[in-house]
Amino acid sequence: MVDDKFWQTKTLAQMSDKEWEAICDGCGKCCLNTFIDSEDEDDFSPTDQLRPGEELIFTNIVCQYLDNKSCSCTQYEKRQTLVPSCVKLTKDNIADIFFMPKSCSYRRLQEGRGLASWHPLLNKGKKSKMHAAGISVRNKTVKDSDVPLEEFEDHIAEWPTYDCD
């Protein structure tokens, strides 16, 4: 565990790999399936931002490799091989994280909002305040392997957009 409050004195770009990993709050929301609702139904091109008329929609459907209790990936080291669409946040792509929930600690720091009071770094490494605040995916999800693609829209969820302080 990193002891000092490095996130208050360093930018994301200045952080060591260990510090970068420690910024992740472990909520599991990045493992949720999302889609972009667009007024232009024919435009399926890749994007690094939401365009006018588009909205990011969250579901309660999570990657099959997420442990629902710990909110951790069971295949973290192999995740991008097993799930090619799994996005690995890096210092190079952090500016394009529009698809991350507002509560995401990387996004919060990128936007100058600081860490939330429930963040494990502010709570002796514990996730209990995060779970109690309803931020994590704990006990709120179904596995993507259990839901047919045509039923994803039946699993739209508002709770992933929630942030506090």
Side-chain angles (χ1 to χ4, degrees):
M1 177 81 99
V2 181
D3 295 59
D4 64 303
K5 295 184 178 184
F6 63 90
W7 61 90
Q8 293 177 338
T9 59
K10 294 183 178 182
T11 65
L12 289 167
Q14 295 169 329
M15 292 180 188
S16 69
D17 290 345
K18 186 176 181 180
E19 291 167 336
W20 178 268
E21 287 293 320
I23 291 302
C24 177
D25 52 52
C27 71
K29 286 183 183 177
C30 59
C31 300
L32 291 168
N33 283 260
T34 61
F35 57 93
I36 295 175
D37 187 17
S38 177
E39 292 174 354
D40 187 358
E41 297 291 329
D42 297 329
D43 186 4
F44 296 110
S45 59
T47 185
D48 59 1
Q49 63 184 353
L50 285 177
R51 295 172 278 223
E54 293 181 335
E55 178 184 7
L56 184 64
I57 306 292
F58 286 88
T59 70
N60 70 333
I61 303 169
V62 72
C63 174
Q64 63 183 317
Y65 299 112
L66 188 81
D67 179 308
N68 189 47
K69 185 173 183 191
S70 69
C71 301
S72 300
C73 182
T74 60
Q75 299 295 323
Y76 189 74
E77 296 303 320
K78 300 187 293 187
R79 70 191 186 282
Q80 291 182 285
T81 301
L82 295 169
V83 182
S85 62
C86 178
V87 176
K88 179 180 180 180
L89 289 181
T90 67
K91 295 172 185 179
D92 293 330
N93 69 9
I94 195 73
D96 303 325
I97 60 169
F98 75 92
F99 55 88
M100 295 299 285
K102 290 181 174 122
S103 62
C104 171
S105 297
Y106 294 103
R107 183 172 176 173
R108 289 179 62 97
L109 290 177
Q110 180 73 9
E111 294 174 352
R113 295 187 289 133
L115 294 182
S117 62
W118 47 260
H119 194 286
L121 283 174
L122 300 174
N123 294 283
K124 300 177 183 167
K126 306 267 188 233
K127 292 184 177 182
S128 52
K129 283 193 178 183
M130 176 180 62
H131 296 313
I135 298 297
S136 74
V137 301
R138 181 183 268 181
N139 300 325
K140 299 177 189 171
T141 63
V142 295
K143 301 283 186 184
D144 57 5
S145 55
D146 296 333
V147 181
L149 184 59
E150 59 273 6
E151 293 180 16
F152 272 37
E153 68 182 36
D154 297 336
H155 292 269
I156 292 172
E158 292 293 322
W159 59 263
T161 64
Y162 176 69
D163 192 9
C164 59
D165 66 57

